[in-house]
Amino acid sequence: MRLHYLKTGKLYVHIQTDLFEQHQDYSDVSGIYNQKYVFSEKKEGAMEFQTKTAAERYLFLNKRKLKGFAVVME
C-alpha cells in the first residue's frame, strides 16, 4: 500500500507534540500538549494518509496554515 503525504517543493509536513507538565494542588490539569507544524526534507515521521481524500480533507481544513502544499503519493 502506498501512502499519501503533504509536500511542497522538497519539504514534508511533520507534527511535533510537546508536553508541558504542571504540578498544581488546586487544578486537575497535570499537563498541556502543544502541537506545531515542522517542515523537513525527511520523509520518515511525516504525516501519512491512507487515502488521497483524507489528505485533501486535512489540507482543506488547515488551508491557512498549510498554503502551497499538495498531496503526493510516494
Side-chain angles (χ1 to χ4, degrees):
M1 177 173 59
R2 300 183 73 185
L3 299 173
H4 295 79
Y5 299 93
L6 298 178
K7 184 177 180 182
T8 180
K10 295 182 179 180
L11 301 177
Y12 291 93
V13 175
H14 296 256
I15 289 187
Q16 181 179 2
T17 304
D18 299 324
L19 172 64
F20 298 102
E21 294 189 21
Q22 297 178 350
H23 300 284
Q24 299 174 353
D25 294 335
Y26 57 87
S27 176
D28 291 339
V29 177
S30 61
I32 297 174
Y33 286 98
N34 185 20
Q35 291 185 339
K36 61 183 174 180
Y37 292 108
V38 178
F39 308 113
S40 175
E41 292 183 3
K42 296 181 182 179
K43 185 174 161 181
E44 299 170 355
M47 293 183 63
E48 301 173 342
F49 298 94
Q50 300 292 327
T51 63
K52 184 176 181 179
T53 306
E56 288 175 346
R57 183 175 189 276
Y58 187 84
L59 192 60
F60 178 76
L61 292 175
N62 296 296
K63 60 186 171 185
R64 284 187 171 180
K65 298 175 188 173
L66 300 173
K67 286 184 181 178
F69 280 84
V71 178
V72 294
M73 182 172 62
E74 296 181 0

